[in-house]
Amino acid sequence: MCERVAVVGAGSWGTVLANVLVTNGKKVKIWSRRQNQVDELNQRHTNEAYLPHVELSKKIEASTNLEDVLLGSEVVLLAVPTKAMRTVSHEVGLLIKKMKLKVIIVHASKGLELETHKRISEIISEEVSFENVQGVVALSGPSHAEEVAKHDITLITAASSNLQAAKIIQQIFMNSYFRVYTNSDIIGVEFGAAFKNIIALGAGALDGLGYGDDAKAALMTRGLAEIARLGIALGADPLTFIGLSGVGDLIVTCTSSHSRNWRAGRQLGEGAQVVDVVNNMGMVIEGLTTVQAAYELAKEKKIEMPITEAIYRVVYQDEKMKKAISDLMTREGKSEEETFQWNTYQK
């Protein structure tokens, strides 16, 4: 059983997961580049910028020294935005090689690298030497840091092609309020986690425009269909998309005010410009970059993704949200049965 965990990234999710691990009796150190944030974590045991009014365990140690955080760790949890994942993974890879560590790397990020369209685990595998890694695990599912911090019941998935590594991560995170399932389909889990942020933008936009539950249910259902179509074409197991990292994450992200992507979509629906939405949020909105990656992948694979295309036009081509919705509703009629012919999309 692993006892020492390094958490790289002190945003809301990294901080809360560190708190879960400390609650479970693990020795945890968390890394941040910002000295003021480290001082706050160590001295006041809070992280107000990301988790307002949440008191954290006094056992969490924070540092700006990445080598100090990694020292002696058996598990490294990467909880940084997708755009920073390659740089941070490279830094971690160099240090664990220098220290001759053998670790399980688990990531808690949800997105695709914009330039390469690669999944997070692929980025990590390229930047960290194989000889230093026992397995790469994706931790994903319907979860908000704000609710986990309150010990609300949360269920997520630990996915890895190395099922033993996934089971170790399951064991160190599980407790009475945080339940973890394992899954060997890391491809499907990572694509589901990334693509649902696109649909959440649309769900927020519907709320911003004043549409009701019927519209949102339709968006989520048809959104799941196109997420699955593209995911399966890229090698995912169809069943993954009806699991926690698929429909589960889609539901929570499309319906909760905790969701950054939903909040961003709502502002777009209310008429805000994309640049203003980004400035207003003050945190990374993964869906805004993921929609471009998904749009480009769909074109490459010749997969029909009308909702993704509509949101892409709103974000990158300044199309009005109402026009995008009108174009979706007036498309040629389709058969719903086409959605379930998964063999059509498999490699």
Side-chain angles (χ1 to χ4, degrees):
M1 183 65 71
C2 296
E3 297 301 328
R4 298 182 68 91
V5 181
V7 178
V8 181
S12 56
W13 197 218
T15 303
V16 161
L17 290 175
N19 212 49
V20 171
L21 289 164
V22 167
T23 300
N24 292 355
K26 306 305 172 188
K27 177 76 171 177
V28 177
K29 286 189 177 181
I30 189 167
W31 173 83
S32 170
R33 291 192 190 276
R34 300 197 296 275
Q35 187 63 53
N36 62 335
Q37 188 180 34
V38 165
D39 291 341
E40 181 187 356
L41 285 162
N42 286 333
Q43 297 166 17
R44 292 172 18 212
H45 314 294
T46 60
N47 193 353
E48 287 292 331
Y50 293 93
L51 291 167
H53 316 302
V54 172
E55 184 176 347
L56 302 167
S57 171
K58 295 178 181 179
K59 294 181 180 180
I60 296 175
E61 297 179 42
S63 176
T64 58
N65 186 325
L66 185 55
E67 185 169 356
D68 178 60
V69 168
L70 293 170
L71 185 64
S73 295
E74 298 153 292
V75 172
V76 177
L77 169 62
L78 301 180
V80 298
T82 302
K83 66 180 182 180
M85 186 59 72
R86 187 172 292 278
T87 300
V88 172
S89 295
H90 183 72
E91 291 180 43
V92 168
L94 291 176
L95 287 171
I96 63 175
K97 185 174 184 178
K98 171 186 171 183
M99 292 186 282
K100 299 181 180 179
L101 297 178
K102 190 76 170 179
V103 300
I104 294 173
I105 295 183
V106 54
H107 78 81
S109 301
K110 299 177 179 181
L112 299 177
E113 189 172 45
L114 185 56
E115 298 81 7
T116 66
H117 304 156
K118 289 184 177 179
R119 295 175 287 108
I120 304 294
S121 63
E122 292 179 301
I123 297 169
I124 295 168
S125 295
E126 289 177 357
E127 297 298 331
V128 183
S129 175
F130 177 77
E131 65 187 17
N132 298 110
V133 179
Q134 291 178 305
V136 177
V137 181
L139 198 63
S140 186
S143 50
H144 290 306
E146 298 87 347
E147 297 190 359
V148 176
K150 296 188 296 183
H151 293 192
D152 280 0
I153 290 173
T154 302
L155 280 68
I156 63 172
T157 295
S160 179
S161 56
N162 180 340
L163 200 53
Q164 184 57 38
K167 288 179 179 178
I168 290 171
I169 298 307
Q170 177 187 50
Q171 290 167 359
I172 68 171
F173 274 100
M174 275 197 25
N175 59 34
S176 62
Y177 64 89
F178 199 78
R179 183 169 177 81
V180 183
Y181 288 81
T182 60
N183 192 322
S184 61
D185 180 26
I186 192 170
I187 296 174
V189 166
E190 289 184 312
F191 277 131
F195 294 154
K196 54 84 185 175
N197 286 329
I198 302 167
I199 308 306
L201 288 172
L206 290 178
D207 285 322
L209 287 163
Y211 289 101
D213 295 338
D214 291 359
K216 188 180 288 186
L219 176 82
M220 292 167 64
T221 305
R222 297 308 304 168
L224 181 64
E226 65 182 55
I227 288 171
R229 280 200 296 269
L230 182 56
I232 292 164
L234 293 166
D237 183 337
L239 292 178
T240 299
F241 297 102
I242 59 171
L244 289 167
S245 62
V247 68
D249 210 358
L250 181 69
I251 290 169
V252 77
T253 313
C254 288
T255 60
S256 174
S257 59
H258 292 314
S259 166
R260 300 175 198 174
N261 292 281
W262 178 88
R263 296 201 309 270
R266 179 163 185 160
Q267 290 181 46
L268 291 173
E270 291 171 343
Q273 299 296 308
V274 173
V275 65
D276 295 323
V277 172
V278 173
N279 291 334
N280 291 340
M281 292 292 292
M283 292 187 283
V284 174
I285 308 165
E286 293 283 11
L288 294 179
T289 52
T290 303
V291 70
Q292 180 178 344
Y295 174 83
E296 292 169 355
L297 279 168
K299 293 297 184 185
E300 177 187 324
K301 295 293 183 180
K302 296 181 172 56
I303 300 295
E304 186 180 17
M305 297 186 73
I307 296 171
T308 298
E309 290 182 16
I311 295 172
Y312 175 84
R313 293 196 304 272
V314 170
V315 173
Y316 289 99
Q317 297 177 355
D318 296 323
E319 183 167 295
K320 298 298 182 184
M321 188 65 73
K322 283 191 174 181
K323 182 181 186 307
I325 293 171
S326 176
D327 289 348
L328 282 170
M329 291 300 294
T330 55
R331 291 182 307 127
E332 180 184 354
K334 301 282 185 178
S335 167
E336 190 178 28
E337 292 172 323
E338 294 173 13
T339 299
F340 307 107
Q341 295 172 359
W342 302 126
N343 60 310
T344 304
Y345 308 106
Q346 290 174 323
K347 290 182 179 180

